[in-house]
Amino acid sequence: MSFRERVQKEVLIIDGAMGTLLQQRGLPGGWCPEEWNLSQPEIIKEIHKLYLEAGADIITTNTFGAIGLKLADYNLADQVKEINRQAVIIAKEAARPYGAMVAGSVGPLGKFLQPLGTMTFDQAYEQFYEQCLAMVEAGVDLILFETFGDIGEMRAALIAAADAGNVPVVASFTFDETGRTFTGTDPETAAVVAERLGVAAIGVNCSVGPRQLEKVVQALTESTNLPILVSPNAGMPEIMDGKTVFRETPETMAQYAERFVTYGASILGGCCGTTPEHIQAIYGRVKKLKRKPRSKTFGLRVASRVKTVTIDPQGIPVAIGERLNPTGKKALQEEIRAGKTEITRRDALAQVQAGAEILDVNVGVGGVDQISAMERAIQAIQVLVEAPLCIDSTDPQVIEQALKLYHGKAIINSVNGEESSIETILPLAKRYGAALIGLTLDEQGIPATVQGRLEVARKLVQKTEEWGIPRQDLMLDCLVLTVSAQPEGVPQTLEAIRRVKKELGVTTSLGVSNVSFGLPNRGLINTAFFAMALYAGLDAAILNPQDERMMETLRASAVLLARDVRAEKYIAREQQAANGPQVAKPQEKLATTPLEVLYQAVLSGDKDNVVAYIDEALATGLSPMELLDKALVPGIEEVGRRYGLGIYFLPQLMMAGETMTKSFEHLRPELAKGPSKKAGTVVMATVKGDIHDIGKNIVSVMLSNHGFDVIDLGKNVPNEEIVRVAAEKNAEIIGLSALMTTTMVNMPEIIKQVKEQGLRCKVMVGGAAVTEQYAQEIGADGYAVDAVEAVNMVKKLVC
Ligand code: THG
């Protein structure tokens, strides 16, 4: 029986940690664990057998890091195929006598995709494709993407896996104490994005242990009807007598597994620190339980990296901001021609503040490379606002580029009833997991009758489903004509909306402002028409949210049409307006002075334009120091504050960091002329044996941004080298990072050497595996949980 069949019938048990057991069997620190597939196959097989004996229905291959980019750290990049092939062969041999299934494990790349990092979608895709293909060819039963924190990277992985072969894929994410992934994705959003990329199940693994995962598991089970996998760590790693231990016992892990099954999870196992004993206990408690069936209906859901928006045929209609569209806007046209994104950013923010829940993005300017223009717009907007995006273009290549870059589930605006449109756009929506707006027109143009539009609508629904896209992901636009040119058009559009909704059961949208072209006081016409369209059943509208009449009409109509149940949202909003704004949500003022412009550039991570802003500011006579003290540093501090409050997430932090780096590079020669005050020297390194450096890189960038001289020694750095460089440079601080419990034991060694050599520098530690308690135990001078705290800690230690 295949994975897809079994997972519908029974609760499945998946195995526990591989790394923990390899270490127990003598895997040397700094050695590539996946290399043992070639040199120690018997050990790998023995571990698989232990889990199979414990009751695992699924075992995972020893391939978590067997991807080109990571194997390159061990000079094994040319062995991707062989290492993965051997891993699958070993696991299949082990699994056969038990009738168990083999999941090919794939971990994240450890590098950020653009715009957070430098890796392109295509580069990530190639990496995942190579590894998946090797495993598919060797005959895995399923592919398990595990421990992913970046939804953008998961998208690339899932698209690559679908291309590599027809095997079921499980997408498993890791969430932190806040219930989000480290780049800010909540469980529902993870589910919404992954589900449309064709996964067979969605999961959570690793993370902070089972206790903290209850809310995440519940949220997942309520966000999708797909099977849910839960494989937590056996708690957070702790150090006892110099050894790493995981606190949760087999019995508690099993109790939690049982609770997860009652929520609706049906694939249970463990991650770091779980052993065959844990899996046996889990098996004992949950194997005979029944799956809890789930069959919720969901509306049309779209998502950014951090937020899901539902267009619900019964819920409050959704405003889609129309203003990122150069039609009729000279300044925006010029900006797009010049390759800038200043107005784009400002209007994106302003529309969201005015109540737009989704933003339409159109870069249609004649004679411009629209692929690059769309790319710039998407990258600028997607780290700035939480609202999901609606990609508005007639060019399939422009749409495809946008969908590649977008780290969420976008809406394609649009497909229509023409064969050529159906054949190019639907495959894009399927491949990149997007929703669609379907226009009711075809080769003959907009049908003259309501019946004609309905026929096109019916065809679009049918074709969408034929392409394997669920019908609720199609929203139909019955097209409004300009009333001044075609006075009889409006009633037809309204009737078409009513019938499409009733007869096809799909949601509807409209570009409302089209109706009023050529008339004075357009907003008035738009508002009246909008109310009528809402009465006809409109679910979403592309409109100008900064026209207060439109948003008021939306709120009031939602009450009148019983879409805002008991007027709850309406009343809450009116009360809030009466009492004045309660929470001080950061207000994005329109920057006017050069210093404000610069401050905003840091807040919005506008790394492309910041240098130009600096030059403009310098030209007005401001000094470089003034720019730093009055705009740049307050900007990055505000970013840090928002990050601490959970308003900003890692992506914004990093974009702002890069903007600061660019600023410093540009200002450095200028600053060198004046009296310099250096904040101090910090030597940064990821310790020996550890090749994870994302966290350390972020801290390095943030420290440079705050004026420290950072000497970044990279990853996998020998203890002696760290201490030698710190002595040579007379550094004030050594900053050490370790992601793995096996490598963090280098930290006390380094502290010892610093003391023995009588260096004046202080040692600060951090990284996923390191806790405050551990830092104290080993006598570190400081500990920081994230990059913002790291900067504060360094500042504290230096003075
Ligand atoms: N259906 C779908 N998509 C669409 C449309 C549609 N996308 C484009 C358009 N129609 C909806 N968007 C707009 C955007 C702007 C205006 C009208 C429709 C508009 N702009 C003013 C002008 O041109 O004069 C400028 C206003 C301003 O400065 O803000 O009217 O029908 N699926």
Side-chain angles (χ1 to χ4, degrees), residues 14 58-64 84 87-88 91 101-107 131-132 135-136 139-146 167-170:
I14 186 163
I58 306 168
I59 53 172
T60 43
T61 55
N62 177 35
T63 51
F64 182 76
N84 282 283
V88 175
M101 294 174 282
V102 172
S105 164
V106 181
Q131 188 182 4
C132 291
M135 295 198 296
V136 170
V140 279
D141 297 301
L142 61 145
I143 288 175
L144 171 61
F145 292 111
E146 47 180 346
V167 292
V169 174
V170 181

PDB file of all heavy atoms in Angstrom, residues 14 58-64 84 87-88 91 101-107 131-132 135-136 139-146 167-170:
ATOM      1  N   ILE A  14       6.443   7.459  12.737  1.00  0.00           N
ATOM      2  CA  ILE A  14       7.672   7.770  11.998  1.00  0.00           C
ATOM      3  C   ILE A  14       8.832   7.784  12.986  1.00  0.00           C
ATOM      4  O   ILE A  14       8.632   8.016  14.185  1.00  0.00           O
ATOM      5  CB  ILE A  14       7.517   9.092  11.203  1.00  0.00           C
ATOM      6  CG1 ILE A  14       8.746   9.337  10.321  1.00  0.00           C
ATOM      7  CG2 ILE A  14       7.238  10.275  12.109  1.00  0.00           C
ATOM      8  CD1 ILE A  14       8.491  10.379   9.226  1.00  0.00           C
ATOM      9  N   ILE A  58       7.348   4.348   9.188  1.00  0.00           N
ATOM     10  CA  ILE A  58       8.133   5.121   8.220  1.00  0.00           C
ATOM     11  C   ILE A  58       9.515   5.348   8.828  1.00  0.00           C
ATOM     12  O   ILE A  58       9.612   5.796   9.982  1.00  0.00           O
ATOM     13  CB  ILE A  58       7.497   6.503   7.952  1.00  0.00           C
ATOM     14  CG1 ILE A  58       6.032   6.366   7.536  1.00  0.00           C
ATOM     15  CG2 ILE A  58       8.288   7.276   6.903  1.00  0.00           C
ATOM     16  CD1 ILE A  58       5.272   7.695   7.537  1.00  0.00           C
ATOM     17  N   ILE A  59      10.562   5.050   8.082  1.00  0.00           N
ATOM     18  CA  ILE A  59      11.893   5.443   8.533  1.00  0.00           C
ATOM     19  C   ILE A  59      12.433   6.494   7.571  1.00  0.00           C
ATOM     20  O   ILE A  59      12.081   6.510   6.390  1.00  0.00           O
ATOM     21  CB  ILE A  59      12.873   4.243   8.634  1.00  0.00           C
ATOM     22  CG1 ILE A  59      12.920   3.468   7.318  1.00  0.00           C
ATOM     23  CG2 ILE A  59      12.491   3.341   9.795  1.00  0.00           C
ATOM     24  CD1 ILE A  59      14.008   2.412   7.290  1.00  0.00           C
ATOM     25  N   THR A  60      13.274   7.382   8.091  1.00  0.00           N
ATOM     26  CA  THR A  60      13.797   8.467   7.255  1.00  0.00           C
ATOM     27  C   THR A  60      15.270   8.229   6.950  1.00  0.00           C
ATOM     28  O   THR A  60      16.048   7.814   7.812  1.00  0.00           O
ATOM     29  CB  THR A  60      13.653   9.834   7.949  1.00  0.00           C
ATOM     30  OG1 THR A  60      14.034   9.685   9.306  1.00  0.00           O
ATOM     31  CG2 THR A  60      12.241  10.332   7.898  1.00  0.00           C
ATOM     32  N   THR A  61      15.636   8.506   5.709  1.00  0.00           N
ATOM     33  CA  THR A  61      17.004   8.263   5.260  1.00  0.00           C
ATOM     34  C   THR A  61      17.981   9.233   5.927  1.00  0.00           C
ATOM     35  O   THR A  61      17.597  10.314   6.373  1.00  0.00           O
ATOM     36  CB  THR A  61      17.098   8.470   3.734  1.00  0.00           C
ATOM     37  OG1 THR A  61      16.606   9.779   3.437  1.00  0.00           O
ATOM     38  CG2 THR A  61      16.289   7.427   2.988  1.00  0.00           C
ATOM     39  N   ASN A  62      19.230   8.820   5.962  1.00  0.00           N
ATOM     40  CA  ASN A  62      20.287   9.656   6.557  1.00  0.00           C
ATOM     41  C   ASN A  62      20.779  10.661   5.508  1.00  0.00           C
ATOM     42  O   ASN A  62      21.907  10.595   5.038  1.00  0.00           O
ATOM     43  CB  ASN A  62      21.428   8.747   7.038  1.00  0.00           C
ATOM     44  CG  ASN A  62      22.583   9.547   7.606  1.00  0.00           C
ATOM     45  OD1 ASN A  62      22.382  10.587   8.225  1.00  0.00           O
ATOM     46  ND2 ASN A  62      23.804   9.082   7.371  1.00  0.00           N
ATOM     47  N   THR A  63      19.890  11.580   5.133  1.00  0.00           N
ATOM     48  CA  THR A  63      20.214  12.483   4.019  1.00  0.00           C
ATOM     49  C   THR A  63      19.834  13.930   4.322  1.00  0.00           C
ATOM     50  O   THR A  63      19.717  14.741   3.412  1.00  0.00           O
ATOM     51  CB  THR A  63      19.443  12.051   2.750  1.00  0.00           C
ATOM     52  OG1 THR A  63      18.050  11.905   3.084  1.00  0.00           O
ATOM     53  CG2 THR A  63      19.957  10.749   2.187  1.00  0.00           C
ATOM     54  N   PHE A  64      19.622  14.242   5.604  1.00  0.00           N
ATOM     55  CA  PHE A  64      19.145  15.577   5.972  1.00  0.00           C
ATOM     56  C   PHE A  64      20.024  16.682   5.367  1.00  0.00           C
ATOM     57  O   PHE A  64      19.542  17.704   4.921  1.00  0.00           O
ATOM     58  CB  PHE A  64      19.115  15.710   7.500  1.00  0.00           C
ATOM     59  CG  PHE A  64      18.600  17.024   7.987  1.00  0.00           C
ATOM     60  CD1 PHE A  64      17.247  17.304   7.966  1.00  0.00           C
ATOM     61  CD2 PHE A  64      19.470  17.998   8.477  1.00  0.00           C
ATOM     62  CE1 PHE A  64      16.745  18.523   8.420  1.00  0.00           C
ATOM     63  CE2 PHE A  64      18.982  19.216   8.926  1.00  0.00           C
ATOM     64  CZ  PHE A  64      17.617  19.478   8.898  1.00  0.00           C
ATOM     65  N   ASN A  84      22.880   9.984  -1.671  1.00  0.00           N
ATOM     66  CA  ASN A  84      21.434   9.827  -1.522  1.00  0.00           C
ATOM     67  C   ASN A  84      20.970   8.439  -1.965  1.00  0.00           C
ATOM     68  O   ASN A  84      20.100   7.829  -1.350  1.00  0.00           O
ATOM     69  CB  ASN A  84      20.693  10.920  -2.302  1.00  0.00           C
ATOM     70  CG  ASN A  84      20.699  12.247  -1.564  1.00  0.00           C
ATOM     71  OD1 ASN A  84      19.941  12.433  -0.618  1.00  0.00           O
ATOM     72  ND2 ASN A  84      21.576  13.157  -1.969  1.00  0.00           N
ATOM     73  N   ALA A  87      21.847   5.932   0.647  1.00  0.00           N
ATOM     74  CA  ALA A  87      20.998   6.102   1.829  1.00  0.00           C
ATOM     75  C   ALA A  87      19.650   5.431   1.613  1.00  0.00           C
ATOM     76  O   ALA A  87      19.124   4.760   2.509  1.00  0.00           O
ATOM     77  CB  ALA A  87      20.821   7.586   2.127  1.00  0.00           C
ATOM     78  N   VAL A  88      19.092   5.608   0.422  1.00  0.00           N
ATOM     79  CA  VAL A  88      17.783   5.018   0.141  1.00  0.00           C
ATOM     80  C   VAL A  88      17.895   3.495   0.083  1.00  0.00           C
ATOM     81  O   VAL A  88      17.051   2.771   0.628  1.00  0.00           O
ATOM     82  CB  VAL A  88      17.200   5.582  -1.185  1.00  0.00           C
ATOM     83  CG1 VAL A  88      15.893   4.876  -1.527  1.00  0.00           C
ATOM     84  CG2 VAL A  88      16.978   7.081  -1.071  1.00  0.00           C
ATOM     85  N   ALA A  91      18.115   2.106   3.601  1.00  0.00           N
ATOM     86  CA  ALA A  91      16.838   2.198   4.320  1.00  0.00           C
ATOM     87  C   ALA A  91      15.829   1.192   3.759  1.00  0.00           C
ATOM     88  O   ALA A  91      15.079   0.561   4.512  1.00  0.00           O
ATOM     89  CB  ALA A  91      16.294   3.620   4.232  1.00  0.00           C
ATOM     90  N   MET A 101       7.754   1.948   5.247  1.00  0.00           N
ATOM     91  CA  MET A 101       8.005   2.876   4.135  1.00  0.00           C
ATOM     92  C   MET A 101       9.254   3.697   4.398  1.00  0.00           C
ATOM     93  O   MET A 101       9.636   3.920   5.546  1.00  0.00           O
ATOM     94  CB  MET A 101       6.800   3.811   3.972  1.00  0.00           C
ATOM     95  CG  MET A 101       5.546   3.091   3.536  1.00  0.00           C
ATOM     96  SD  MET A 101       4.106   4.183   3.520  1.00  0.00           S
ATOM     97  CE  MET A 101       3.700   4.254   5.252  1.00  0.00           C
ATOM     98  N   VAL A 102       9.863   4.167   3.305  1.00  0.00           N
ATOM     99  CA  VAL A 102      11.091   4.962   3.424  1.00  0.00           C
ATOM    100  C   VAL A 102      10.827   6.391   2.970  1.00  0.00           C
ATOM    101  O   VAL A 102      10.382   6.631   1.848  1.00  0.00           O
ATOM    102  CB  VAL A 102      12.227   4.350   2.577  1.00  0.00           C
ATOM    103  CG1 VAL A 102      13.431   5.279   2.534  1.00  0.00           C
ATOM    104  CG2 VAL A 102      12.606   2.985   3.127  1.00  0.00           C
ATOM    105  N   ALA A 103      11.088   7.327   3.895  1.00  0.00           N
ATOM    106  CA  ALA A 103      10.965   8.746   3.567  1.00  0.00           C
ATOM    107  C   ALA A 103      12.348   9.314   3.323  1.00  0.00           C
ATOM    108  O   ALA A 103      13.255   9.118   4.134  1.00  0.00           O
ATOM    109  CB  ALA A 103      10.293   9.508   4.715  1.00  0.00           C
ATOM    110  N   GLY A 104      12.521   9.980   2.190  1.00  0.00           N
ATOM    111  CA  GLY A 104      13.800  10.630   1.900  1.00  0.00           C
ATOM    112  C   GLY A 104      13.847  11.973   2.610  1.00  0.00           C
ATOM    113  O   GLY A 104      13.067  12.871   2.321  1.00  0.00           O
ATOM    114  N   SER A 105      14.763  12.104   3.561  1.00  0.00           N
ATOM    115  CA  SER A 105      14.841  13.332   4.348  1.00  0.00           C
ATOM    116  C   SER A 105      15.620  14.417   3.597  1.00  0.00           C
ATOM    117  O   SER A 105      16.689  14.159   3.057  1.00  0.00           O
ATOM    118  CB  SER A 105      15.557  13.030   5.670  1.00  0.00           C
ATOM    119  OG  SER A 105      15.987  14.221   6.289  1.00  0.00           O
ATOM    120  N   VAL A 106      15.045  15.618   3.552  1.00  0.00           N
ATOM    121  CA  VAL A 106      15.729  16.764   2.948  1.00  0.00           C
ATOM    122  C   VAL A 106      15.632  17.937   3.916  1.00  0.00           C
ATOM    123  O   VAL A 106      14.531  18.321   4.312  1.00  0.00           O
ATOM    124  CB  VAL A 106      15.085  17.173   1.598  1.00  0.00           C
ATOM    125  CG1 VAL A 106      15.844  18.356   0.990  1.00  0.00           C
ATOM    126  CG2 VAL A 106      15.046  16.003   0.625  1.00  0.00           C
ATOM    127  N   GLY A 107      16.778  18.469   4.304  1.00  0.00           N
ATOM    128  CA  GLY A 107      16.794  19.631   5.210  1.00  0.00           C
ATOM    129  C   GLY A 107      16.957  20.918   4.433  1.00  0.00           C
ATOM    130  O   GLY A 107      17.144  20.902   3.224  1.00  0.00           O
ATOM    131  N   GLN A 131      18.912  16.688  -5.360  1.00  0.00           N
ATOM    132  CA  GLN A 131      18.798  15.712  -4.270  1.00  0.00           C
ATOM    133  C   GLN A 131      17.528  14.866  -4.408  1.00  0.00           C
ATOM    134  O   GLN A 131      17.557  13.646  -4.243  1.00  0.00           O
ATOM    135  CB  GLN A 131      18.806  16.419  -2.906  1.00  0.00           C
ATOM    136  CG  GLN A 131      18.898  15.402  -1.765  1.00  0.00           C
ATOM    137  CD  GLN A 131      18.869  16.016  -0.374  1.00  0.00           C
ATOM    138  OE1 GLN A 131      18.708  17.231  -0.213  1.00  0.00           O
ATOM    139  NE2 GLN A 131      19.013  15.178   0.637  1.00  0.00           N
ATOM    140  N   CYS A 132      16.412  15.513  -4.732  1.00  0.00           N
ATOM    141  CA  CYS A 132      15.145  14.774  -4.838  1.00  0.00           C
ATOM    142  C   CYS A 132      15.211  13.753  -5.965  1.00  0.00           C
ATOM    143  O   CYS A 132      14.742  12.624  -5.823  1.00  0.00           O
ATOM    144  CB  CYS A 132      13.978  15.727  -5.068  1.00  0.00           C
ATOM    145  SG  CYS A 132      13.611  16.742  -3.640  1.00  0.00           S
ATOM    146  N   MET A 135      16.935  10.642  -4.988  1.00  0.00           N
ATOM    147  CA  MET A 135      16.155   9.795  -4.089  1.00  0.00           C
ATOM    148  C   MET A 135      14.982   9.132  -4.819  1.00  0.00           C
ATOM    149  O   MET A 135      14.650   7.976  -4.547  1.00  0.00           O
ATOM    150  CB  MET A 135      15.673  10.611  -2.887  1.00  0.00           C
ATOM    151  CG  MET A 135      16.854  11.072  -2.047  1.00  0.00           C
ATOM    152  SD  MET A 135      16.435  11.572  -0.381  1.00  0.00           S
ATOM    153  CE  MET A 135      15.420  12.944  -0.705  1.00  0.00           C
ATOM    154  N   VAL A 136      14.367   9.889  -5.722  1.00  0.00           N
ATOM    155  CA  VAL A 136      13.247   9.315  -6.477  1.00  0.00           C
ATOM    156  C   VAL A 136      13.749   8.156  -7.329  1.00  0.00           C
ATOM    157  O   VAL A 136      13.149   7.077  -7.370  1.00  0.00           O
ATOM    158  CB  VAL A 136      12.573  10.389  -7.361  1.00  0.00           C
ATOM    159  CG1 VAL A 136      11.582   9.745  -8.319  1.00  0.00           C
ATOM    160  CG2 VAL A 136      11.873  11.428  -6.497  1.00  0.00           C
ATOM    161  N   GLY A 139      14.155   5.113  -5.488  1.00  0.00           N
ATOM    162  CA  GLY A 139      12.909   4.448  -5.090  1.00  0.00           C
ATOM    163  C   GLY A 139      12.352   4.776  -3.720  1.00  0.00           C
ATOM    164  O   GLY A 139      11.744   3.915  -3.079  1.00  0.00           O
ATOM    165  N   VAL A 140      12.506   6.006  -3.262  1.00  0.00           N
ATOM    166  CA  VAL A 140      11.884   6.361  -1.970  1.00  0.00           C
ATOM    167  C   VAL A 140      10.361   6.288  -2.090  1.00  0.00           C
ATOM    168  O   VAL A 140       9.795   6.472  -3.167  1.00  0.00           O
ATOM    169  CB  VAL A 140      12.204   7.794  -1.492  1.00  0.00           C
ATOM    170  CG1 VAL A 140      13.551   7.885  -0.840  1.00  0.00           C
ATOM    171  CG2 VAL A 140      12.011   8.788  -2.600  1.00  0.00           C
ATOM    172  N   ASP A 141       9.700   6.048  -0.951  1.00  0.00           N
ATOM    173  CA  ASP A 141       8.241   6.019  -0.947  1.00  0.00           C
ATOM    174  C   ASP A 141       7.654   7.422  -0.821  1.00  0.00           C
ATOM    175  O   ASP A 141       6.537   7.677  -1.234  1.00  0.00           O
ATOM    176  CB  ASP A 141       7.734   5.160   0.215  1.00  0.00           C
ATOM    177  CG  ASP A 141       8.171   3.715   0.059  1.00  0.00           C
ATOM    178  OD1 ASP A 141       7.800   3.118  -0.974  1.00  0.00           O
ATOM    179  OD2 ASP A 141       8.905   3.206   0.926  1.00  0.00           O
ATOM    180  N   LEU A 142       8.381   8.296  -0.173  1.00  0.00           N
ATOM    181  CA  LEU A 142       7.953   9.685  -0.061  1.00  0.00           C
ATOM    182  C   LEU A 142       9.178  10.554   0.207  1.00  0.00           C
ATOM    183  O   LEU A 142      10.240  10.050   0.570  1.00  0.00           O
ATOM    184  CB  LEU A 142       6.918   9.875   1.062  1.00  0.00           C
ATOM    185  CG  LEU A 142       7.349   9.538   2.474  1.00  0.00           C
ATOM    186  CD1 LEU A 142       6.699  10.484   3.469  1.00  0.00           C
ATOM    187  CD2 LEU A 142       6.959   8.102   2.808  1.00  0.00           C
ATOM    188  N   ILE A 143       8.997  11.863   0.019  1.00  0.00           N
ATOM    189  CA  ILE A 143      10.070  12.807   0.351  1.00  0.00           C
ATOM    190  C   ILE A 143       9.592  13.649   1.520  1.00  0.00           C
ATOM    191  O   ILE A 143       8.439  14.102   1.545  1.00  0.00           O
ATOM    192  CB  ILE A 143      10.419  13.687  -0.860  1.00  0.00           C
ATOM    193  CG1 ILE A 143      11.167  12.845  -1.902  1.00  0.00           C
ATOM    194  CG2 ILE A 143      11.275  14.888  -0.444  1.00  0.00           C
ATOM    195  CD1 ILE A 143      11.464  13.569  -3.196  1.00  0.00           C
ATOM    196  N   LEU A 144      10.484  13.818   2.497  1.00  0.00           N
ATOM    197  CA  LEU A 144      10.132  14.593   3.687  1.00  0.00           C
ATOM    198  C   LEU A 144      11.047  15.811   3.788  1.00  0.00           C
ATOM    199  O   LEU A 144      12.234  15.686   4.071  1.00  0.00           O
ATOM    200  CB  LEU A 144      10.284  13.713   4.940  1.00  0.00           C
ATOM    201  CG  LEU A 144      10.159  14.400   6.298  1.00  0.00           C
ATOM    202  CD1 LEU A 144       8.777  15.035   6.470  1.00  0.00           C
ATOM    203  CD2 LEU A 144      10.424  13.405   7.429  1.00  0.00           C
ATOM    204  N   PHE A 145      10.483  16.976   3.496  1.00  0.00           N
ATOM    205  CA  PHE A 145      11.224  18.217   3.739  1.00  0.00           C
ATOM    206  C   PHE A 145      11.027  18.569   5.202  1.00  0.00           C
ATOM    207  O   PHE A 145       9.899  18.802   5.641  1.00  0.00           O
ATOM    208  CB  PHE A 145      10.690  19.341   2.847  1.00  0.00           C
ATOM    209  CG  PHE A 145      10.984  19.134   1.389  1.00  0.00           C
ATOM    210  CD1 PHE A 145       9.975  18.852   0.497  1.00  0.00           C
ATOM    211  CD2 PHE A 145      12.294  19.206   0.925  1.00  0.00           C
ATOM    212  CE1 PHE A 145      10.250  18.652  -0.851  1.00  0.00           C
ATOM    213  CE2 PHE A 145      12.582  19.001  -0.429  1.00  0.00           C
ATOM    214  CZ  PHE A 145      11.559  18.721  -1.309  1.00  0.00           C
ATOM    215  N   GLU A 146      12.105  18.590   5.968  1.00  0.00           N
ATOM    216  CA  GLU A 146      11.914  18.785   7.405  1.00  0.00           C
ATOM    217  C   GLU A 146      12.767  19.911   7.965  1.00  0.00           C
ATOM    218  O   GLU A 146      13.793  20.259   7.412  1.00  0.00           O
ATOM    219  CB  GLU A 146      12.160  17.476   8.168  1.00  0.00           C
ATOM    220  CG  GLU A 146      13.416  16.729   7.788  1.00  0.00           C
ATOM    221  CD  GLU A 146      13.586  15.438   8.594  1.00  0.00           C
ATOM    222  OE1 GLU A 146      12.900  15.250   9.610  1.00  0.00           O
ATOM    223  OE2 GLU A 146      14.434  14.616   8.209  1.00  0.00           O
ATOM    224  N   VAL A 167       6.250  11.346  -6.513  1.00  0.00           N
ATOM    225  CA  VAL A 167       6.183  10.705  -5.194  1.00  0.00           C
ATOM    226  C   VAL A 167       5.517  11.665  -4.215  1.00  0.00           C
ATOM    227  O   VAL A 167       5.615  12.880  -4.369  1.00  0.00           O
ATOM    228  CB  VAL A 167       7.584  10.332  -4.633  1.00  0.00           C
ATOM    229  CG1 VAL A 167       8.219   9.237  -5.439  1.00  0.00           C
ATOM    230  CG2 VAL A 167       8.478  11.541  -4.534  1.00  0.00           C
ATOM    231  N   PRO A 168       4.830  11.120  -3.215  1.00  0.00           N
ATOM    232  CA  PRO A 168       4.205  12.007  -2.223  1.00  0.00           C
ATOM    233  C   PRO A 168       5.274  12.803  -1.473  1.00  0.00           C
ATOM    234  O   PRO A 168       6.376  12.309  -1.229  1.00  0.00           O
ATOM    235  CB  PRO A 168       3.497  11.039  -1.272  1.00  0.00           C
ATOM    236  CG  PRO A 168       3.633   9.681  -1.837  1.00  0.00           C
ATOM    237  CD  PRO A 168       4.627   9.704  -2.936  1.00  0.00           C
ATOM    238  N   VAL A 169       4.908  14.023  -1.120  1.00  0.00           N
ATOM    239  CA  VAL A 169       5.846  14.909  -0.446  1.00  0.00           C
ATOM    240  C   VAL A 169       5.215  15.408   0.853  1.00  0.00           C
ATOM    241  O   VAL A 169       4.029  15.734   0.882  1.00  0.00           O
ATOM    242  CB  VAL A 169       6.182  16.113  -1.351  1.00  0.00           C
ATOM    243  CG1 VAL A 169       7.044  17.111  -0.617  1.00  0.00           C
ATOM    244  CG2 VAL A 169       6.869  15.643  -2.624  1.00  0.00           C
ATOM    245  N   VAL A 170       6.008  15.428   1.910  1.00  0.00           N
ATOM    246  CA  VAL A 170       5.544  15.986   3.176  1.00  0.00           C
ATOM    247  C   VAL A 170       6.359  17.245   3.465  1.00  0.00           C
ATOM    248  O   VAL A 170       7.585  17.231   3.362  1.00  0.00           O
ATOM    249  CB  VAL A 170       5.703  14.979   4.332  1.00  0.00           C
ATOM    250  CG1 VAL A 170       5.192  15.583   5.637  1.00  0.00           C
ATOM    251  CG2 VAL A 170       4.962  13.683   4.013  1.00  0.00           C
TER     252      VAL A 170
END
